[in-house]
Each structure stands twice: as C-alpha cells, then as structure tokens.
Amino acid sequence: MDRIVIQGGNRLSGKIQVGGAKNAALPLMCASLLTSDPITFQNLPRLADIETLARLLVQHGVQITMNGDQSSKGESKYGRCLTLQAKEITDTTAPYDLVRKMRASILVLGPILARCGEARVSLPGGCAIGTRPVDLHLKGLEALGAEIELDQGYVVAKAPDGLIGADVTFPFVSVGATENLMMAACLAKGTTRLINAAREPEITDLADCLIAMGAKIEGVGSDTLIIEGVDSLHGCTHSVVADRIEAGSLAMAVAATRGDVELIGGRLDHLGAAVEALQKAGVEFEETEDGFRVSCEALSGTDVMTEPYPGFPTDLQAQIMALMTTTDGASMVTETIFENRFMHVPELTRMGANINLHGRSAMIRGVDGMNGAPVMATDLRASMSLIIAGLVAKGETIVSRIYHLDRGYERLEEKLAACGANIRREKEPD
Ligand code: EPZ
C-alpha cells in the first residue's frame, strides 16, 4: 500500500490541470450498454474507479479499446481516451465481488434492463459514509413497469416486454437514481417525466451524451427531465466534463496555503454555492481564458450546509472543514446528505484542529497552526481533507491508506508538487 508524506508550510503557486469528472465518467461509461454502436470518451481521468467499472463492463460483453497515451509494457493504465462498444450484452449479471468495490456499478442496472429486458445486479451495500440504499432506483424502475425482486443480495429485474414511460417523482434528490432512470427511460415506450431530479453538472453531461446518441430529453439542467423513449440509440464521441470536485478541492488547498494558482480546464460556473462560501471567507476567484484562478491572502470563518446542486456539495465538505482549521475565526459545517461523513474529524483533531460535533454539524475554531502527524484516510474525500491540512501543518504529515484517494484524484501529489508543495508518495513500510 502507498502513503503520502508532506512537509507543511509551502505556498502553492503556478498552474494545475483539472481532469475529467469521475462522477460523470462512471455513468457515461454505463451508457455504452444502451447501444450496440461504439462510443468514444475523451478526457477520461486515470482513476481506480474507472478501471474497476471497465472490468465490470467487460464482464457484460463491452469491448474496450484505448486510444492515445498507450501505456507501455501492457500496464492496465487507461489512457485519456477509451472507445467502448457493447455489440451485444453477453452477461446480464453484475457480480458482488465487483459491485462491492465500486457502488456506482449499480448504474449498469437501468441500461442492461432497458436493453435486454432483464438484469441481475448485486446490491452495492453500504460504505464508510453511509448505508446508501438504492430504493429510489428500484421504485423508479418499477414505475416504468419492471418487476423487481431481491434474491440473495441481488436485484433481479425483469421487463420482458420492455419498459413503459411513466411519471417518477423522487421524494428527495438522488444523483444515482436520476441517472439510472434517465438512461432506462431512453429506451422505454412512451414518455417518462423525472420530477425532483438531481441537477448536478454530471447529470447534464450524461444527458448531453445520451442526446448525442439519439435520445430525446428535455429539461436538461432543471429538476424535471422529460424523456421520450426511442427504439434504439447510436454511438457518438463525448468529452467528459471537467471535475468540479477536483477543482473545488484544489481551490481549497490553494486557499489553505494562501497561494495563487490557475486551475486549467476548471469550470467556475459548476462550483455553485462553493464559490460564494469561499468568497465570503476571503478566497478570490477570477475567470481566465483556460479556466479560473484562485488566490487567498487572508481567510476568515464561514458557515456551510451541504445540499444537492447548486447548493454546497457534500463532496467538498471534508475539504472546507480542513480549510477552516487554518482561519482564526469560527465556522459551522452541516452535513445534510450522508449520515456518517465526519470521519476526517478525529484525524484532523490529531493534527491539533479544534472541532466539536453536534449531530450533523461541526463547529470549527481556528487554531494558530496545526501540527503534522501520522493520520489515516478513511474515505475518498476525507483523504483530500487530510492532505489539505498537511500542506499547512508544521512539520511532517503522513497520510496512510491513500488507496481511498486514488479512487477520485489522479496524480494529486504530482500536481501539488509542481506548484511548490513538499509532498511525495512512497510505499508503506512493511
Ligand atoms: C453520487 O452518489 C456521487 N457518486 C457521490 O460522490 C455524491 O456524494 C452523491 O452523489 C451526492 O452528490 C457518484 O456520482 C458516483 P445520491 P449517489 O443517490 O448517487 C440517499 C464522491 O465522493 N439515497 O444522490 O450514491 C443516499 O443514501 C461520491 O465522489 C437513498 O436513500 O448519491 C444519500 O443519503 C461520494 N436511496 C442521499 O440519498 C436511494 O435510492 C443522496 O444520495 C438513493 C440515495
């Protein structure tokens, strides 16, 4: 296993390239199951989750070819450009040993059911940040006429005569359920309306790709999506939208070091309430030709509450908490989306942070300097939070179990080192 070692205190300055969005790439790759034509995805990030999903799709019969950045010696490192083709789906089962590694695998359910009339997909199970059920996915597919049963930890879905368009109202916003239902509805007979749909930029990116494949979708970007089913979809070429969570995470790292960095490819307009919250705290943003610049000289406390897009993203909650430990003010961070997304708090406390939890809220009081320490990553975004703290802490911070980090950040230590951070990756000693 690897770990990351940081000597804190260096200011970040320069330019960093923002990669393609993990949370767009995953549903986009599942959309390849909806057609027998090839789909070419550009700007795909090189992430563990992408490789895991690729292995699952191959198991279903998807042929995957890499273009560009061919890695040498047959390493399984995916290039930035992949072509996926599901000429036919040879296996409609998504096995537990793959699905449990990457819960977004549940997103093969809608496409396989819509294309084949049946699917058997392992329930993803919970994860560190919560139980994360998929009841909205299943209820939505039942509304489209599917028969759904649970059998030994698997979802067994049948629609032998195909899916029928219907109205689906989500009781609360779910990114994954919106994606699964939108993909399934593309091949249903008739019209589907998804009401109270998620509006994240990754949903818009998926809708844009589906429309390029011949789908008929209206209301893209709003909370009501209207999908007119078609008999079949065709291939296309699609470039994955920039990763707003990587961009937001990097912006917070820059602000923590009081630095000044241009995020190439970053989309300021996709950062929603995160920009307002950071500007209120004293972070400055400036649109540039190639992305946006983020800088900070003085920082004060601010309060945030996570909400569905365009509210403050839950995927930036751990990161802003680390940032707020570097101010001399008080901040309140409230997590409303997941029930257990404060696991970074004990680790930040080990570094000297002053954080008190009250139910779903954390009260952070700035301290005059954090201290480097050996800490442990517990989940993807917590890993980033510990790295942000390590960049400004006095002395050495060692972040272990960074396989969590590699699920969602590509070459992070290289990107930060290129802007002046004293950071390296090394093997965990035996
Ligand atoms: C997506 O997860 C993202 N993952 C998450 O990013 C992100 O945190 C989340 O959306 C919220 O923005 C991907 O896109 C691959 P939800 P998803 O369905 O779709 C509950 C990261 O760090 N719920 O919007 O699973 C659920 O438990 C990851 O990159 C149900 O109860 O999130 C949660 O409390 C973490 N029943 C809330 O809704 C359901 O059927 C929001 O979940 C579905 C969800």
Side-chain angles (χ1 to χ4, degrees):
M1 273 201 273
D2 289 354
R3 67 186 191 180
I4 279 186
V5 181
I6 308 168
Q7 299 295 337
N10 291 11
R11 185 175 172 276
L12 295 179
S13 65
K15 295 175 188 282
I16 299 180
Q17 175 71 44
V18 175
K22 164 181 85 80
N23 290 349
L26 295 170
L28 284 166
M29 289 169 72
C30 294
S32 68
L33 293 161
L34 288 165
T35 175
S36 56
D37 285 359
I39 302 191
T40 297
F41 294 115
Q42 296 163 335
N43 196 30
L44 273 170
R46 285 184 193 75
L47 296 171
D49 274 6
I50 302 288
E51 296 202 39
T52 304
L53 181 59
R55 275 200 297 279
L56 174 62
L57 293 174
V58 166
Q59 146 113 4
H60 289 306
V62 176
Q63 290 160 341
I64 299 183
T65 48
M66 286 179 274
N67 324 299
D69 297 356
Q70 289 283 2
S71 58
S72 57
K73 300 188 291 300
E75 292 154 42
S76 68
K77 217 187 285 175
Y78 284 101
R80 300 185 72 79
C81 178
L82 291 184
T83 297
L84 281 70
Q85 183 166 16
K87 277 203 184 91
E88 57 170 309
I89 293 176
T90 53
D91 186 342
T92 59
T93 293
Y96 176 62
D97 67 321
L98 279 176
V99 173
R100 71 183 172 84
K101 286 199 190 89
M102 218 270 302
R103 13 172 330 95
S105 310
I106 192 72
L107 295 174
V108 304
L109 175 60
I112 292 178
L113 178 61
R115 175 103 181 266
C116 305
E118 62 169 34
R120 186 170 173 273
V121 176
S122 168
L123 281 166
C127 76
I129 63 176
T131 54
R132 301 182 71 183
V134 291
D135 52 317
L136 299 190
H137 300 239
L138 305 186
K139 285 196 188 98
L141 291 171
E142 282 179 326
L144 298 190
E147 288 157 38
I148 304 270
E149 278 178 13
L150 299 186
D151 175 32
Q152 297 169 49
Y154 280 77
V155 175
V156 181
K158 291 193 176 67
D161 303 326
L163 297 169
I164 314 287
D167 282 4
V168 178
T169 300
F170 295 114
F172 49 84
V173 170
S174 162
V175 170
T178 301
E179 291 165 341
N180 237 334
L181 270 296
M182 180 164 69
M183 288 190 281
C186 287
L187 294 181
K189 294 182 190 65
T191 304
T192 296
R193 290 194 317 159
L194 301 181
I195 299 151
N196 199 23
R199 298 166 50 196
E200 274 68 3
E202 295 76 33
I203 306 257
T204 296
D205 202 42
L206 176 61
D208 291 347
C209 179
L210 291 167
I211 290 167
M213 292 164 67
K216 293 191 170 56
I217 305 174
E218 287 173 16
V220 176
S222 80
D223 62 2
T224 302
L225 295 168
I226 301 169
I227 302 112
E228 185 65 45
V230 294
D231 293 340
S232 66
L233 295 174
H234 52 73
C236 73
T237 294
H238 182 83
S239 182
V240 179
V241 69
D243 193 325
R244 64 190 168 100
I245 303 302
E246 182 190 20
S249 303
L250 292 169
M252 292 181 194
V254 173
T257 65
R258 308 300 185 262
D260 184 344
V261 169
E262 183 181 9
L263 296 179
I264 309 296
R267 291 277 303 263
L268 206 46
D269 58 328
H270 284 174
L271 273 172
V275 173
E276 289 133 46
L278 289 169
Q279 283 173 326
K280 260 171 64 182
V283 182
E284 293 178 34
F285 294 93
E286 182 199 338
E287 295 258 18
T288 64
E289 220 168 280
D290 301 324
F292 67 86
R293 194 173 143 211
V294 52
S295 60
C296 180
E297 284 168 16
L299 199 70
S300 58
T302 187
D303 296 340
V304 298
M305 176 182 285
T306 64
E307 292 173 306
Y309 190 86
F312 189 93
T314 174
D315 293 348
L316 288 177
Q317 178 260 106
Q319 298 92 312
I320 198 164
M321 196 183 288
L323 175 61
M324 288 299 122
T325 65
T326 71
T327 70
D328 51 11
S331 307
M332 170 92 86
V333 173
T334 301
E335 171 59 58
T336 70
I337 307 287
F338 290 106
E339 67 266 28
N340 187 33
R341 206 170 195 177
F342 282 152
M343 285 176 298
H344 42 286
V345 171
E347 298 304 298
L348 290 172
T349 306
R350 283 168 47 71
M351 297 175 71
N354 177 348
I355 304 174
N356 288 295
L357 293 181
H358 308 276
R360 287 203 155 192
S361 292
M363 175 57 82
I364 303 111
R365 286 183 178 78
V367 292
D368 61 351
M370 302 263 275
N371 305 303
V375 289
M376 193 180 292
T378 51
D379 59 86
L380 168 54
R381 304 307 176 181
S383 323
M384 186 67 202
S385 158
L386 299 176
I387 285 176
I388 291 173
L391 288 171
V392 292
K394 295 184 200 76
E396 181 173 87
T397 296
I398 300 176
V399 184
S400 57
R401 300 193 178 181
I402 56 153
Y403 56 86
H404 290 291
L405 185 81
D406 294 337
R407 292 191 47 213
Y409 293 95
E410 180 182 347
R411 297 178 299 110
L412 180 72
E413 71 280 1
E414 290 173 30
K415 293 184 176 183
L416 294 174
C419 285
N422 182 334
I423 182 172
R424 70 176 189 277
R425 175 187 288 256
E426 62 181 36
K427 288 285 170 229
E428 294 268 14
D430 296 335

